[in-house]
Amino acid sequence: MYTIAVTNQKGGVGKTTIAMQVAAAMSRRHRVLLIDTDPQRSTQWWADNVPRPLPFDYAGPQQASVIARLPLLQVEYDFVFVDTPGSFEETRTLDLVLDAADFALVPMTPEPLAVEPTMRTIHRLIEPRGLRYAVVLNKLDPRTPHQWDVWMHRLDTDWGYPRTAETLRRYKAHADAPILGELVTAMPTNPRTAGLIGEVTRLAVEVGTHVAAISGTW
Ligand SMILES: Nc1ncnc2c1ncn2[C@@H]1O[C@H](COP(=O)(O)OP(=O)(O)O)[C@@H](O)[C@H]1O
Ligand SMILES: [Mg+2]
């Protein structure tokens, strides 16, 4: 069982979106549990709109201390995703979650205001634990010239942060998914959704492979 914390102290970067959609994509092949530790209850609202059954087991919103007890659960999961709060006040929650995590997935948007909180999350919470992590760039706008190149250069060369090869573009279908109760596993494939489904699916495969490889056994 591998526990993946989806975390960034900056709000609005896509933690909830990525936790829900990547957990869904991963559930095609694996036993997946998603736990929400964010008092804002975003996943609960989304999950309530999804026609039953959900493709993964879902526990939300939980005290973060539940995460520490996960190994005691009799049920066995391949991957446990933990959605986390996006604020600087919830450090106790983040401490508990990151102590229990095998890997941190750090969504980041290509915006100057996301830089400092992302760096702070990595330098103060993730790196001191020796926790493996990868930044995933979210909400890229293909119409903005050179955006991909500029941000990849920052991540790879200026900051040297590990990142996923896959990036996620900004799609209206992502923004609509919580109210429509949509997860990639049950979205119709059409021009509105095809790009999004492909990106999330590739990201899930990449994260699964990566986490299994760094953890040694599979
Ligand atoms: N790739 C994307 N394209 C379009 N909208 C997105 C994308 N990722 C996230 N969003 C939207 O941006 C907002 C913030 O995303 P959310 O996942 O709630 O971030 P966080 O959990 O980090 O606060 C939400 O309204 C969400 O639907
Ligand atoms: Mg959220």
Tab-separated table of all heavy atoms in Angstrom, residues 12 14-17 38 40 42 83-86, ligand 2:
chain	number	residue	atom	x	y	z
A	12	GLY	N	-6.295	26.496	-4.573
A	12	GLY	CA	-6.704	26.727	-5.954
A	12	GLY	C	-5.755	26.190	-7.016
A	12	GLY	O	-5.935	26.466	-8.205
A	14	GLY	N	-5.237	22.968	-7.645
A	14	GLY	CA	-5.740	21.726	-8.254
A	14	GLY	C	-5.562	20.481	-7.416
A	14	GLY	O	-5.669	19.366	-7.932
A	15	LYS	N	-5.350	20.648	-6.106
A	15	LYS	CA	-5.177	19.465	-5.247
A	15	LYS	C	-6.397	18.555	-5.306
A	15	LYS	O	-6.286	17.349	-5.528
A	15	LYS	CB	-4.950	19.884	-3.784
A	15	LYS	CG	-3.635	20.576	-3.541
A	15	LYS	CD	-3.479	20.978	-2.080
A	15	LYS	CE	-4.428	22.075	-1.654
A	15	LYS	NZ	-4.196	23.357	-2.327
A	16	THR	N	-7.566	19.151	-5.081
A	16	THR	CA	-8.785	18.343	-5.040
A	16	THR	C	-9.074	17.726	-6.409
A	16	THR	O	-9.409	16.544	-6.514
A	16	THR	CB	-9.956	19.224	-4.562
A	16	THR	OG1	-9.667	19.653	-3.223
A	16	THR	CG2	-11.273	18.472	-4.587
A	17	THR	N	-8.905	18.519	-7.456
A	17	THR	CA	-9.148	18.031	-8.815
A	17	THR	C	-8.237	16.853	-9.133
A	17	THR	O	-8.685	15.814	-9.642
A	17	THR	CB	-8.888	19.181	-9.820
A	17	THR	OG1	-9.762	20.260	-9.494
A	17	THR	CG2	-9.091	18.734	-11.250
A	38	ASP	N	-9.240	17.898	4.288
A	38	ASP	CA	-9.465	19.332	4.166
A	38	ASP	C	-10.814	19.694	4.785
A	38	ASP	O	-11.843	19.192	4.332
A	38	ASP	CB	-9.449	19.731	2.684
A	38	ASP	CG	-9.564	21.236	2.501
A	38	ASP	OD1	-9.745	21.946	3.507
A	38	ASP	OD2	-9.479	21.685	1.347
A	40	GLN	N	-12.561	22.050	4.297
A	40	GLN	CA	-13.462	22.689	3.312
A	40	GLN	C	-14.373	21.695	2.601
A	40	GLN	O	-15.275	22.092	1.867
A	40	GLN	CB	-12.640	23.453	2.275
A	40	GLN	CG	-12.069	24.716	2.851
A	40	GLN	CD	-11.555	25.667	1.769
A	40	GLN	OE1	-11.960	25.578	0.617
A	40	GLN	NE2	-10.663	26.538	2.146
A	42	SER	N	-14.352	19.842	-0.019
A	42	SER	CA	-14.604	19.904	-1.469
A	42	SER	C	-14.854	18.528	-2.076
A	42	SER	O	-15.711	18.371	-2.939
A	42	SER	CB	-13.417	20.527	-2.201
A	42	SER	OG	-12.964	21.649	-1.533
A	83	ASP	N	-6.214	14.006	0.029
A	83	ASP	CA	-6.383	15.416	-0.323
A	83	ASP	C	-6.137	16.232	0.949
A	83	ASP	O	-6.569	15.837	2.039
A	83	ASP	CB	-7.800	15.655	-0.862
A	83	ASP	CG	-7.941	17.048	-1.475
A	83	ASP	OD1	-6.913	17.686	-1.768
A	83	ASP	OD2	-9.097	17.491	-1.665
A	84	THR	N	-5.434	17.349	0.808
A	84	THR	CA	-5.018	18.096	1.998
A	84	THR	C	-5.470	19.555	1.913
A	84	THR	O	-5.748	20.062	0.823
A	84	THR	CB	-3.473	18.056	2.144
A	84	THR	OG1	-2.878	18.671	1.002
A	84	THR	CG2	-2.963	16.639	2.290
A	85	PRO	N	-5.525	20.235	3.062
A	85	PRO	CA	-5.951	21.639	3.066
A	85	PRO	C	-4.911	22.540	2.403
A	85	PRO	O	-3.713	22.275	2.496
A	85	PRO	CB	-6.072	21.984	4.549
A	85	PRO	CG	-5.786	20.760	5.312
A	85	PRO	CD	-5.222	19.734	4.404
A	86	GLY	N	-5.380	23.599	1.786
A	86	GLY	CA	-4.453	24.531	1.141
A	86	GLY	C	-4.330	25.806	1.933
A	86	GLY	O	-4.804	26.856	1.514
B	2	MG	MG	-8.997	21.407	-2.348
